[in-house]
Amino acid sequence: MPADLQLACRLAKASDVTYYVDRSGGAASCPYYADIGFTEPPDVFTSNVINAALVGVTNDAIILAFRGTLPPQTDSWDDFWDAMLDWMNDADAKPVSVPYSKGQVHQGFADSLESLWSRIMPSLQRLLSSNLPLYVTGHSKGGALASLAALRLLTSEHITPTEVYTFASPRAGDEDFALDYNSLISSDWRYENTDDIVPHLPPTLAVLGLLRQVEPRFQNVSAYDYRSVGNLQFINWRGEIVGDSLLLDGDRLIHFLELLAVDEIKQIIEDHSIEQQYIPKLIAKL
């Protein structure tokens, strides 16, 4: 079953709503809130200031969406870099075992999910009695949490997500995790945009070696060989959405390294934005 572009657009908007849950006006203040079609205000959950999720219902779906740690857009490379280092440092990024996966996962992401889980589940259980399809989604770090949540729902709670859609997601676990995940959850669609750096993080061993040659701050990044999951939907430099290939891997890495080499940081930061990049580009393809 191919990715549903209309559904992808809707879930990208739901992912954006999570950034508004603790702002003035709440979730409904997101400019895309009305487009999702919630039939009642979604249940929202926050923990440790940086973690947030929502559980909502529409006429045709249940949506579980996770928030990322980064704002939709930032003008500060230093702030952006600090957030990325927080994902990659020894304390947060080291691989740990979890009961819901055969592989090991990023400790910081696993801890974030754990901090929300006990409150998410009662809300989700209440809505699942409707027998509506369940979609799990998230942007940035929220995408990694969506992947972990989908696997945890399936293996620990015996709840099968209908589909998973992530946007700008960093890598959540090692190769064994990725193999385990992909064998159990086939309907996962991973959207990545042009020169967005976040889907490359934490970097694979091979990529980290190249990054260290053009960006000194990568020297302090530990070499955890994490892998992406799901089916890539890459928004390329012509606005087309294409699947994975070895040629594409090379093109992306070369393009990204060229930007780093000339310190073209603004483009890298902007390409991560859910509101300014992912959503408008998906809308343009409808």
Side-chain angles (χ1 to χ4, degrees):
M1 180 173 61
D4 182 328
L5 186 58
Q6 189 169 12
L7 178 59
C9 189
R10 187 180 181 193
L11 293 178
K13 293 175 179 179
S15 297
D16 190 38
V17 169
T18 63
Y19 286 98
Y20 288 78
V21 298
D22 51 7
R23 297 185 190 181
S24 176
S29 65
C30 175
Y32 294 113
Y33 179 84
D35 295 346
I36 301 162
F38 291 121
T39 54
E40 60 185 63
D43 293 333
V44 299
F45 311 94
T46 60
S47 72
N48 305 327
V49 181
I50 62 171
N51 302 314
L54 67 79
V55 175
V57 63
T58 71
N59 285 327
D60 59 358
I62 299 165
I63 298 173
L64 169 59
F66 293 90
R67 183 176 73 185
T69 54
L70 294 175
Q73 186 166 350
T74 178
D75 295 323
S76 169
W77 170 243
D78 287 336
D79 290 346
F80 192 84
W81 179 254
D82 287 344
M84 290 189 297
L85 282 181
D86 187 43
W87 299 346
M88 294 186 290
N89 67 27
D90 290 340
D92 286 335
K94 68 180 180 182
V96 295
S97 297
V98 290
Y100 49 89
S101 173
K102 296 177 182 176
Q104 292 190 306
V105 304
H106 184 294
Q107 182 175 20
F109 298 157
D111 289 347
S112 291
L113 182 64
E114 185 64 31
S115 72
L116 296 164
W117 196 254
S118 63
R119 286 177 288 160
I120 286 173
M121 284 310 301
S123 176
L124 201 56
Q125 292 283 9
R126 175 180 67 87
L127 296 177
L128 286 170
S129 61
S130 65
N131 293 318
L132 291 170
L134 169 62
Y135 299 111
V136 185
T137 190
H139 168 256
S140 191
K141 187 188 81 169
L145 267 60
S147 298
L148 295 179
L151 189 60
R152 185 169 181 173
L153 284 169
L154 181 62
T155 61
S156 296
E157 308 290 348
H158 308 294
I159 296 169
T160 303
T162 306
E163 292 188 78
V164 181
Y165 282 74
T166 64
F167 308 90
S169 176
R171 298 173 176 129
D174 65 10
E175 183 175 12
D176 287 338
F177 164 77
L179 290 171
D180 188 27
Y181 184 95
N182 290 334
S183 70
L184 295 172
I185 299 177
S186 58
S187 294
D188 177 296
W189 307 101
R190 185 180 88 248
Y191 284 81
E192 300 176 2
N193 179 45
T194 54
D195 296 302
D196 184 355
I197 187 176
V198 174
H200 298 273
L201 304 176
T204 62
L205 298 176
V207 171
L208 182 57
L210 293 172
L211 292 175
R212 284 172 171 166
Q213 296 179 35
V214 295
E215 174 50 66
R217 282 174 286 197
F218 277 100
Q219 299 296 332
N220 298 321
V221 173
S222 297
Y224 299 130
D225 203 14
Y226 288 175
R227 302 300 173 94
S228 301
V229 298
N231 303 289
L232 176 64
Q233 300 289 285
F234 179 63
I235 305 170
N236 69 18
W237 299 272
R238 295 179 297 277
E240 303 162 337
I241 300 176
V242 299
D244 209 353
S245 70
L246 291 177
L247 181 61
L248 176 60
D249 284 345
D251 287 346
R252 292 180 69 184
L253 184 58
I254 291 170
H255 207 269
F256 178 68
L257 291 174
E258 287 175 346
L259 289 177
L260 276 182
V262 298
D263 204 29
E264 192 61 45
I265 302 305
K266 188 172 186 291
Q267 186 64 55
I268 294 171
I269 293 174
E270 288 179 350
D271 282 352
H272 185 62
S273 171
I274 187 80
E275 285 191 349
Q276 303 301 320
Q277 288 283 324
Y278 283 84
I279 294 174
K281 288 181 177 180
L282 291 173
I283 291 173
K285 298 301 293 183
L286 290 175

